[in-house]
Amino acid sequence: QVQLTESGGGLVQAGGSLRLSCVASGGSFSTYDMGWFRQAPGKEREFVAAIRRNDRATYYADAVKGRFTIAKDNPKRTLSLQMNSLKPEDTAIYYCAARGAQVVNTITLPSYYYYWGQGTQVTVSS
């Protein structure tokens, strides 16, 4: 069983930056694909970024490509999301998620992730 705990959310002005962290306890962290998802009020949870466990390949939603960077530190059991040039439309609760071996073309789909954190609020003011 893996427990995921996010931190780093907050209130920032448009154009600013935040760095989210997700610490994992339990399980075999290095064997998991990891992802970040977000959910805005009244909207479905959506994919933000993911990193594959083996070759560290990274995947990004078009809306964040070039602004966000995902990274995974296996010894520290930590997943991070560096968010730059933030926009008001980035406002949401951000969730960290983990999954075991799955086909790679499902890495952007929240239903294929087993473990979820409690989320951290990111608010970007205009």
Side-chain angles (χ1 to χ4, degrees):
Q1 187 76 11
V2 176
Q3 290 187 328
L4 303 173
T5 304
E6 303 97 334
S7 62
L11 173 64
V12 64
Q13 288 188 334
S17 298
L18 282 175
R19 183 180 180 86
L20 304 184
S21 293
C22 171
V23 177
S25 61
S28 300
F29 184 74
S30 63
T31 67
Y32 296 130
D33 292 340
M34 300 293 297
W36 287 99
F37 294 82
R38 66 187 182 187
Q39 188 165 18
K43 295 187 178 181
E44 293 188 353
R45 192 167 297 188
E46 65 175 6
F47 168 74
V48 175
I51 185 166
R52 239 171 31 168
R53 70 194 182 284
N54 47 6
D55 60 4
R56 304 291 187 100
T58 56
Y59 306 82
Y60 295 94
D62 288 343
V64 307
K65 202 169 294 184
R67 300 188 296 122
F68 291 10
T69 303
I70 188 172
K72 186 172 183 260
D73 186 330
N74 287 333
K76 294 184 179 180
R77 302 175 63 86
T78 300
L79 180 73
S80 64
L81 184 69
Q82 178 66 42
M83 306 187 295
N84 298 328
S85 302
L86 283 161
K87 303 176 182 180
E89 51 263 44
D90 294 319
T91 295
I93 299 174
Y94 283 70
Y95 297 91
C96 166
R99 68 178 204 171
Q102 299 273 0
V103 293
V104 67
N105 63 0
T106 63
I107 202 168
T108 65
L109 303 177
S111 60
Y112 284 82
Y113 284 77
Y114 307 148
Y115 307 109
W116 291 84
Q118 81 290 347
T120 185
Q121 176 71 47
V122 172
T123 303
V124 184
S125 63
S126 57

